Amino acid sequence: MERQPYKLQFTKRAQKDITSLSPKLKEKLKDILRRKIALHPESGKPLVGSLQGYYSVRISYQDRIVYRIEKDVCTVIIVRAKTHYGE
């Protein structure tokens, strides 16, 4: 039996990050969200420290998707979708 994909929700910050990505990275982001995160959210890298409970998946060398999983409602909250370097 195939598992239902998780719903994706985006914070305002993540939406702002996505608008600043190049068209190529936006396509890559969509692909990762649909094929990886929505289907297998725990496949990302678990984060530690102040971001414990969050996961990360690379979009590019610098840019990452940072998200948390709400299993009880089958939802993934996308928190960031851009680099944290140089901020």
Side-chain angles (χ1 to χ4, degrees):
M1 186 171 96
E2 184 119 355
R3 191 167 77 176
Q4 282 290 97
Y6 276 61
K7 292 180 185 137
L8 300 175
Q9 290 184 351
F10 299 83
T11 64
K12 287 191 184 300
R13 183 65 205 222
Q15 291 172 356
K16 186 177 178 184
D17 289 345
I18 292 166
T19 61
S20 68
L21 292 174
S22 71
K24 184 178 179 181
L25 284 180
K26 283 180 187 176
E27 279 304 309
K28 189 172 181 182
L29 171 76
K30 261 197 267 184
D31 191 50
I32 291 169
L33 290 174
R34 283 190 199 137
R35 297 174 191 258
K36 186 173 185 176
I37 294 175
L39 299 176
H40 307 284
E42 292 170 339
S43 63
K45 177 183 174 190
L47 299 177
V48 296
S50 64
L51 291 175
Q52 188 169 6
Y54 289 79
Y55 294 81
S56 173
V57 173
R58 274 185 192 269
I59 307 171
S60 68
Y61 176 73
Q62 281 190 323
D63 299 316
R64 290 174 174 72
I65 304 164
V66 176
Y67 61 95
R68 73 176 190 272
I69 304 165
E70 294 187 358
K71 291 182 181 179
D72 55 331
V73 289
C74 291
T75 302
V76 173
I77 310 295
I78 309 301
V79 179
R80 294 297 310 260
K82 192 145 172 67
T83 186
H84 58 85
Y85 301 111
E87 289 188 342

